[in-house]
Amino acid sequence: MELPDFMSYTNKFSQSEFVEKISRIAKRAGAKLVYAALILFYTLQSDQVSAKDKALIIGALGYMISPLDVIPDAIPIVGLSDDLAVLLYVLKTVWTDVDPSIKERAKERLSKWFDEDEISEIDNLFD
């Protein structure tokens, strides 16, 4: 799958819309997508991340929030696959700057929406 120009979605990102969408789609999206989104969201709040990486993160999260993307979110099963691809691409790019405490914070939040079996999806995040 070729990634879309997710940087054109930077104006779509807002903290409140992110929280609303991730809460609404959590179960349907799966633990892997939600975990990646939460890590990026919490990394965005860190002062340890470069402005360039923050711009990438904002673009990816804006793409996830936007109802206009390559594969519409409303399509069952595959509708969020493009969102996951964009999130994982950006997460791989910034992974070395992600503090372990951010990963733990995201995992704690994940446990509010998913049970242990579902959370085990994140063990192979980039697979």
Side-chain angles (χ1 to χ4, degrees):
M1 169 191 297
E2 186 174 322
L3 291 178
D5 178 18
F6 59 86
M7 290 306 292
S8 64
Y9 291 83
T10 56
N11 64 336
K12 302 286 185 197
F13 176 76
S14 78
Q15 183 171 337
S16 62
E17 287 183 49
F18 171 80
V19 170
E20 187 275 325
K21 178 147 187 183
I22 205 73
S23 298
R24 186 171 35 85
I25 67 164
K27 279 294 195 179
R28 185 168 59 95
K32 190 179 279 194
L33 183 144
V34 174
Y35 184 60
L38 287 171
I39 288 174
L40 291 173
F41 179 71
Y42 294 141
T43 299
L44 183 62
Q45 299 169 4
S46 170
D47 58 356
Q48 303 298 315
V49 180
S50 70
K52 177 185 167 227
D53 286 349
K54 285 187 178 195
L56 286 172
I57 291 169
I58 289 170
L61 294 178
Y63 183 82
M64 188 198 82
I65 290 169
S66 175
L68 304 173
D69 50 44
V70 175
I71 304 173
D73 295 348
I75 297 175
I77 301 172
V78 298
L80 294 167
S81 61
D82 59 324
D83 298 78
L84 179 60
V86 166
L87 294 174
L88 289 178
Y89 173 80
V90 172
L91 188 56
K92 278 184 180 180
T93 303
V94 302
W95 190 250
T96 57
D97 294 328
V98 177
D99 190 270
S101 66
I102 289 174
K103 296 174 192 174
E104 188 57 37
R105 184 176 174 197
K107 192 171 182 178
E108 285 174 18
R109 182 63 173 248
L110 206 62
S111 68
K112 294 180 181 186
W113 291 314
F114 298 94
D115 61 34
E116 282 300 316
D117 290 344
E118 294 168 314
I119 291 175
S120 67
E121 281 183 44
I122 68 171
D123 293 340
N124 299 312
L125 187 58
F126 296 112
D127 292 339

